Amino acid sequence: MSYTLDPEIVDVMAALAEQAAAGPRPGRGDWRTLRAVGEAGQAYMAGLVPASSGVQSSTYYARGHDEAAIRLRWYTKSSREPSGSADAAPTPAVVYAHGGGMVMGTLDLYDEVISWYVDRTGVPFLSVDYRRAPDEGTGTTLAEDVFAALTWLIGHADELGVNPVRIAVMGDSGGGGPTAGAAILARDRSVPLARQILVYPMLDDRNQTPDPARSSYLTWTYDNNYTAWRAVLGDAFGADTVSPVAAPARLTDFTSLAPAYIDVGDLDIFRDEAIAYAQQLAAAGVPIELHVHPGVPHGWERFAPHAGSAKRAMADRAHTVSTL
C-alpha cells in the first residue's frame, strides 16, 4: 500500500513545492543557504496564524556551561496573577527549544508558536536562544544551553511563581534533539524534570538512508539532515564516539528519564527514530505517550494550521502542557 497525503494539505503542499522550486536550493553541506531558506520559511509560517493576544514576554539571561550568556524569553498570560501575590499559586512551566535543524531558527520566529501555547494553556513558557551549529555552538553545547535554561528557571522559580518540580522541557524538530539531550543531563545530574515533550524530534545522526516511498512528500530532506548533523558534529559525524547528549538516539541507558510525550508525522524522515526512541523509553519503564499522524510530513501543522490533523496535534500538545 502506497503513502498518500492528508487530503486537507494537498493544495498547500503543491503551493510550497512551487515556491521552493522558484527559490535557492541548499546544496548538501551548505548550512548557510539552508539557514537562510529555512528562516524565510519559518517567517512565512509565523504569519499564517494571527498572533495570540493577552500574552506578554520579558527577557532574561542564563549562564551556559562555558559561562556564555544564553538569552531567554519568558512568556506569561497577561491575566495571570503576578508572582508574589497572595492569590498566586505556583504553576507548572515549560522550557522550550525552537526548531530549525539545530542550524537555524530564532526566538523571534517562534513568538507566534510559544504565544499560542501560553494563551491556550495559561502555562508560562521560557524560550531558549540556544547556540546554533556550526558557527555558534556544536556537539553537546546545544543541549547544555537548554539545560542551563532549565536550571535557571528552577533557581528563579520563587520569583516567577513556578513550582520547580512541575517544569517540562519541550522542543520541536531540531529543538527536539537538544530537548531530549537536556532531559538526559537532568537525569544524570539529579535535576528534577516533570516531562519531556518531543515534537517530531531530530534525534539520530545515523538517519541517512533515504526511503524512496516517502521521498516526494518530504519537507525536511535527507540532504538537509546530512547538512545539519554535519554542522552539529563536525568530524565526529557518524563516529561511534558521538555523545547521546548531542544525538539522543545514541543513548543506551534509558532508565529514570522523565516521562515523554512524542509526536511525529508518518511522512517525516524522523518517524522511525521517534518511534524507536519511544520504544526504548517504554522498555526502560519510562511512561510515554506516542502519536504518529498519518498522511502528514515534517512541520505540517505550521504550514497547514487549518487542517483537522494540525488542530488535533496542537490540541493534544496543549493538553499535555495543561496537565503538567
Side-chain angles (χ1 to χ4, degrees):
M1 182 176 178
S2 60
Y3 292 105
T4 57
L5 275 176
D6 179 336
E8 288 190 278
I9 71 170
V10 169
D11 291 344
V12 176
M13 284 284 287
L16 288 176
E18 186 175 343
Q19 291 174 15
R25 180 166 295 185
R28 188 173 168 89
D30 182 2
W31 64 266
R32 290 179 178 84
T33 302
L34 180 59
R35 179 181 290 176
V37 171
E39 290 187 350
Q42 289 181 332
Y44 165 76
M45 291 187 293
L48 294 177
V49 177
S52 298
S53 60
V55 175
Q56 59 192 18
S57 65
S58 52
T59 299
Y60 297 97
Y61 289 87
R63 286 289 172 187
H65 69 294
D66 55 358
E67 294 301 312
I70 310 301
R71 188 162 59 113
L72 311 172
R73 187 168 293 170
W74 177 243
Y75 295 81
T76 58
K77 201 158 184 177
S78 300
S79 59
R80 183 180 178 224
E81 289 286 347
S83 58
S85 166
D87 298 323
T91 71
V94 175
V95 174
Y96 199 97
H98 65 73
M102 297 193 246
V103 299
M104 61 189 171
T106 67
L107 295 185
D108 291 345
L109 290 171
Y110 263 70
D111 265 336
E112 163 262 328
V113 176
I114 306 302
S115 294
W116 185 91
Y117 284 122
V118 174
D119 187 49
R120 181 67 177 263
T121 67
V123 174
F125 272 56
L126 186 69
S127 190
V128 189
D129 193 20
Y130 63 87
R131 285 168 282 181
R132 304 165 303 175
D135 53 330
E136 298 171 357
T138 57
T140 60
T141 292
L142 289 73
E144 289 279 7
D145 287 354
V146 178
F147 179 76
L150 170 64
T151 54
W152 181 92
L153 183 54
I154 292 172
H156 292 80
D158 285 347
E159 66 189 79
L160 295 174
V162 168
N163 185 332
V165 298
R166 295 176 65 194
I167 298 174
V169 288
M170 180 176 183
D172 68 281
S173 188
T179 296
I184 296 169
L185 291 172
R187 181 212 41 196
D188 293 348
R189 297 171 182 175
S190 301
V191 172
L193 184 63
R195 194 166 298 163
Q196 51 181 319
I197 303 171
L198 309 177
V199 176
Y200 36 75
M202 181 177 171
L203 302 168
D204 197 346
D205 64 297
R206 300 163 298 184
N207 180 8
Q208 303 299 331
T209 304
D211 176 1
R214 290 182 289 172
S215 61
S216 61
Y217 304 114
L218 301 182
T219 54
W220 178 259
T221 69
Y222 288 94
D223 281 347
N224 295 156
N225 210 40
Y226 171 90
T227 298
W229 276 115
R230 187 80 191 187
V232 174
L233 299 175
D235 292 341
F237 174 65
D240 292 338
T241 55
V242 171
S243 168
V245 174
R250 300 296 196 111
L251 191 67
T252 56
D253 178 11
F254 286 76
T255 57
S256 302
L257 286 171
Y261 174 100
I262 302 174
D263 78 28
V264 67
D266 197 30
L267 303 179
D268 191 327
I269 71 168
F270 296 150
R271 180 196 64 187
D272 294 350
E273 63 195 73
I275 293 173
Y277 204 73
Q279 288 175 322
Q280 291 177 92
L281 286 165
V286 177
I288 64 160
E289 181 176 345
L290 173 65
H291 297 248
V292 181
H293 302 278
V296 298
H298 190 74
W300 91 102
E301 84 290 5
R302 297 287 314 280
F303 61 76
H306 301 298
S309 57
K311 292 178 181 178
R312 288 191 297 274
M314 294 298 287
D316 286 340
R317 295 171 199 166
H319 174 75
T320 298
V321 170
S322 297
T323 55
L324 284 173

